[in-house]
Amino acid sequence: MSIHPHRKFAVIGDPVDHSLSPQLHKNVFDQLGIDAEYTKLKCPESDLSAMMERFRSGEWDGLNITIPHKQKIIPLLDKLNPRAHSIGSVNCVTNDNGALIGYNTDWFGFSMSLKLNQISVQGQSCVVIGAGGAANAIVYALLREGANSIAVSNRSHTNSEKLVEKLSVIQNDCLLHSIPFEQLNVAMNSASIIVNTTPVGMGSNPDEIPAPKTAITSSQILIDIIYSPMKTEFLKFGERIGAKIINGLDMFIYQGLASLDIWMKDRISPRVDINDLKKILETHL
Ligand code: NAP
């Protein structure tokens, strides 16, 4: 347990305005009677190191890390949980008596979202668009869930190549490969599950779409891990043509609850009324 009777948590990122983490955690604290607060802090990359020193000195009881720092944070930490090490990305940090330890709960959030939406990836061909922190966690989850093939496509090809190299060490029968952005439509033609992990469609450019519309078909499952807006243009287009669509809200909720379990060193998440939490979050979207 934390030494603070009143606990303090925060999410750091840049941009961070879109984050609903404060609302998520406030609702959980209210539901379970936990004396705590959760804030969002804009943190440009140049402030990341100073922020970690403030954390080390005890300013917060736990931090979430969001776009674009999930990989850049790693060299500033003292230790990684083995799963975060395999994934190569961190979205949750604890301070264990001055030692900063990185965890990844995004993979769990994504797996829960598949389960709740009755999606089996076993034997399926998947395309992951993007190769940042969230993409690493999602590819890890897809490998664990038994995907037959995963094609990763990113605007900077070297980053998708790095992701594939890193995660290829997880031995299973999946064909994990990186494809140039210009060939995304070809990979999508033979895929049944397409996951957008880029911020395209969020923020100031809500009409943008991360994939060519001509490669989207009604038989595909489209997953966008963005949850604000609830329906990006990618999902709206998919819905219009009859594809199954999933947004990032379930993933977001479960990565947040898993972070709280880690910080509190207790499985408090099973006591949370998820329907109530979801209703509250939807009023903010
Ligand atoms: P990140 O580490 O900064 O990675 C961003 C990725 O998107 C990179 O591969 C980047 O390509 C690509 N990208 C950025 N802008 C692009 C553009 N205009 N066109 C094409 N590709 C672009 O960020 P992240 O932490 O992975 O987060 C990515 C998104 O997922 C954010 O919208 C975040 O809010 C969302 N997210 C949601 C959840 C959830 O729980 N639902 C969890 C995590 C993240 P380069 O390699 O070329 O830079």
Side-chain angles (χ1 to χ4, degrees), residues 4-26:
H4 300 290
H6 174 79
R7 296 185 181 86
K8 289 172 74 181
F9 304 101
V11 55
I12 62 168
D14 185 15
V16 79
D17 283 347
H18 69 281
S19 176
L20 280 191
S21 289
Q23 287 89 341
L24 183 154
H25 290 282
K26 181 181 183 317

Side-chain angles (χ1 to χ4, degrees), residues 18 65-72 106 129-135 154-157 159-160 181 196-200 202 208 210 224-227 247-253 255:
H18 69 281
I65 313 297
T66 191
I67 185 171
H69 302 319
K70 291 180 182 185
Q71 291 161 309
K72 292 172 194 124
D106 280 338
I129 309 168
N154 188 49
R155 67 174 178 186
S156 315
H157 191 53
N159 289 345
S160 49
F181 218 32
N196 174 42
T197 74
T198 76
V200 176
M202 190 177 87
E208 280 183 5
D224 200 326
I225 66 164
I226 293 173
Y227 58 86
N247 69 17
L249 193 58
D250 287 326
M251 173 180 173
F252 170 67
I253 288 173
Q255 65 73 34

Side-chain angles (χ1 to χ4, degrees), residues 135-242:
N136 277 260
I138 281 162
V139 169
Y140 176 85
L142 292 172
L143 286 169
R144 270 187 107 242
E145 302 281 338
N148 180 52
S149 71
I150 307 170
V152 184
S153 186
N154 188 49
R155 67 174 178 186
S156 315
H157 191 53
T158 47
N159 289 345
S160 49
E161 285 181 321
K162 273 189 218 152
L163 182 158
V164 166
E165 193 186 334
K166 166 113 195 127
L167 287 168
S168 289
V169 298
I170 300 171
Q171 290 301 319
N172 71 12
D173 295 333
C174 179
L175 170 65
L176 173 61
H177 60 126
S178 158
I179 50 154
F181 218 32
E182 309 77 58
Q183 289 168 24
L184 175 59
N185 58 339
V186 179
M188 282 173 63
N189 283 337
S190 55
S192 51
I193 300 175
I194 321 282
V195 190
N196 174 42
T197 74
T198 76
V200 176
M202 190 177 87
S204 55
N205 296 311
D207 297 332
E208 280 183 5
I209 183 158
K213 286 183 176 171
T214 48
I216 301 174
T217 68
S218 60
S219 58
Q220 289 164 337
I221 297 171
L222 308 186
I223 306 176
D224 200 326
I225 66 164
I226 293 173
Y227 58 86
S228 174
M230 292 261 275
K231 269 186 210 163
T232 55
E233 187 53 36
F234 177 54
L235 295 189
K236 281 185 194 160
F237 179 77
E239 188 174 50
R240 278 202 296 277
I241 65 164

Side-chain angles (χ1 to χ4, degrees), residues 260-274:
L260 210 47
D261 284 349
I262 291 169
W263 296 324
M264 303 290 283
K265 298 191 172 124
D266 195 3
R267 288 266 298 142
I268 60 167
S269 55
R271 308 206 311 265
V272 175
D273 179 339
I274 303 288

